């Protein structure tokens, strides 16, 4: 990332494609967020807090708005019609690259939502933000996320593994990349 500040993100974003509408989180989503994010798999594989309750929902919405205003991160609700949220997709500007991430509620898994949301968000990064490549950072043991990377056209990059610890658990992340078409 260059030393010049990145252009700010739009105040409102709604992306469509692949049978999805990716939209801003709203106050109306606060009640459904625990159903999406308060799950052992989500707690294990993501940095989201656990338990994910009403207070965590408010904090997530506030964080989404703050990060957007700072120009670092976009957090969008994954929907099929602009209505009820089924999960979240993220785009984050970071020194190591433009990173995408996702989480789909347990009741909505197995429908290809994450892969489709990642492809829509990657297209936005390429077409609207002028990004040359996007990355996913994920654990090799997370078979679902590896499948999302492959279905989305990403390839495993030959770069050093990212080692760390979060929530008292060590992790090792692989970096997957997708170049502008």
């Amino acid at each position: 990332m260059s030393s010049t500040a990145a252009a700010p993100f739009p105040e409102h974003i709604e992306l469509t494609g692949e049978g999805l509408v990716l939209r801003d989180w709203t106050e109306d989503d606060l009640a459904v967020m625990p159903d999406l994010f308060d799950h052992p798999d989500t707690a294990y594989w993501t940095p989201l807090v656990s338990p994910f309750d009403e207070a965590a929902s408010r904090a997530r919405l506030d964080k989404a708005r703050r990060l957007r205003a700072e120009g670092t991160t976009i957090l969008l609700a994954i929907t099929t019609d602009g209505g009820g949220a089924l999960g979240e997709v993220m785009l984050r500007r970071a020194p190591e690259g433009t990173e995408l991430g996702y989480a789909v509620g347990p009741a909505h898994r197995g429908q290809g939502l994450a892969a489709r949301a990642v492809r829509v968000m990657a297209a936005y990064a390429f077409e609207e933000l002028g990004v040359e490549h996007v990355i996913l950072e994920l654990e090799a043991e997370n078979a679902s996320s590896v499948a999302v990377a492959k279905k989305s056209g990403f390839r495993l990059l030959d770069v050093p593994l990212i080692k760390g610890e979060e929530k008292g658990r060590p992790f090792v992340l692989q970096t997957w990349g997708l170049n502008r078409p």
Side-chain angles (χ1 to χ4, degrees), residues 7 10 13 15 93 121-131 180:
I13 299 174
L15 308 176
R93 291 172 169 154
M121 188 66 97
Y124 173 77
F126 297 140
E127 296 164 14
E128 299 299 323
L129 303 179
V131 170
R180 176 194 289 268

Side-chain angles (χ1 to χ4, degrees), residues 15-23 74 76-80 86-91 100-104 111-125 134 136 148 151-152 154 178:
L15 308 176
T16 59
E18 303 230 8
L20 299 178
V21 177
L22 308 179
R23 61 162 177 80
I74 301 169
L76 298 177
I78 300 170
T79 77
T80 55
L86 309 174
E88 175 177 86
V89 64
M90 172 207 74
L91 180 145
L100 304 183
Y102 45 85
V104 173
Q111 303 173 44
L113 295 170
R116 291 187 284 153
V118 164
R119 287 191 298 263
V120 171
M121 188 66 97
Y124 173 77
V134 293
L136 296 171
V148 167
K151 289 178 188 173
S152 302
F154 284 72
L178 179 68

Side-chain angles (χ1 to χ4, degrees), residues 137 160-166 169-175:
E137 295 175 341
L161 297 172
I162 301 163
K163 297 178 183 181
E165 184 176 314
E166 191 153 39
R169 181 179 81 80
F171 63 81
V172 178
L173 301 176
Q174 299 176 324
T175 303

Side-chain angles (χ1 to χ4, degrees), residues 10-166:
E11 193 172 312
H12 171 74
I13 299 174
E14 184 173 287
L15 308 176
T16 59
E18 303 230 8
L20 299 178
V21 177
L22 308 179
R23 61 162 177 80
D24 295 319
W25 287 105
T26 70
E27 302 288 327
D28 293 340
D29 295 313
L30 292 173
V32 74
M33 289 172 110
D35 292 336
L36 299 175
F37 302 135
D38 190 37
H39 188 272
D41 286 346
T42 305
Y44 188 83
W45 295 116
T46 74
L48 293 172
V49 299
S50 179
F52 199 99
D53 55 15
E54 288 181 33
S57 296
R58 168 50 62 194
R60 188 75 178 164
L61 179 61
D62 292 346
K63 183 177 183 177
R65 291 174 174 166
R66 179 178 48 80
L67 294 174
R68 169 92 56 92
E70 291 172 358
T72 60
T73 306
I74 301 169
L75 299 170
L76 298 177
I78 300 170
T79 77
T80 55
D81 58 4
L86 309 174
E88 175 177 86
V89 64
M90 172 207 74
L91 180 145
R92 181 174 72 94
R93 291 172 169 154
E96 58 275 8
T98 300
E99 179 186 2
L100 304 183
Y102 45 85
V104 173
H108 310 293
R109 294 178 184 160
Q111 303 173 44
L113 295 170
R116 291 187 284 153
V118 164
R119 287 191 298 263
V120 171
M121 188 66 97
Y124 173 77
F126 297 140
E127 296 164 14
E128 299 299 323
L129 303 179
V131 170
E132 291 300 318
H133 65 274
V134 293
I135 60 172
L136 296 171
E137 295 175 341
L138 41 105
E139 294 180 66
E141 296 82 15
N142 187 343
S144 296
S145 280
V146 170
V148 167
K150 290 177 179 179
K151 289 178 188 173
S152 302
F154 284 72
R155 62 180 180 79
L156 184 59
L157 301 179
D158 186 19
V159 298
L161 297 172
I162 301 163
K163 297 178 183 181
E165 184 176 314
E166 191 153 39

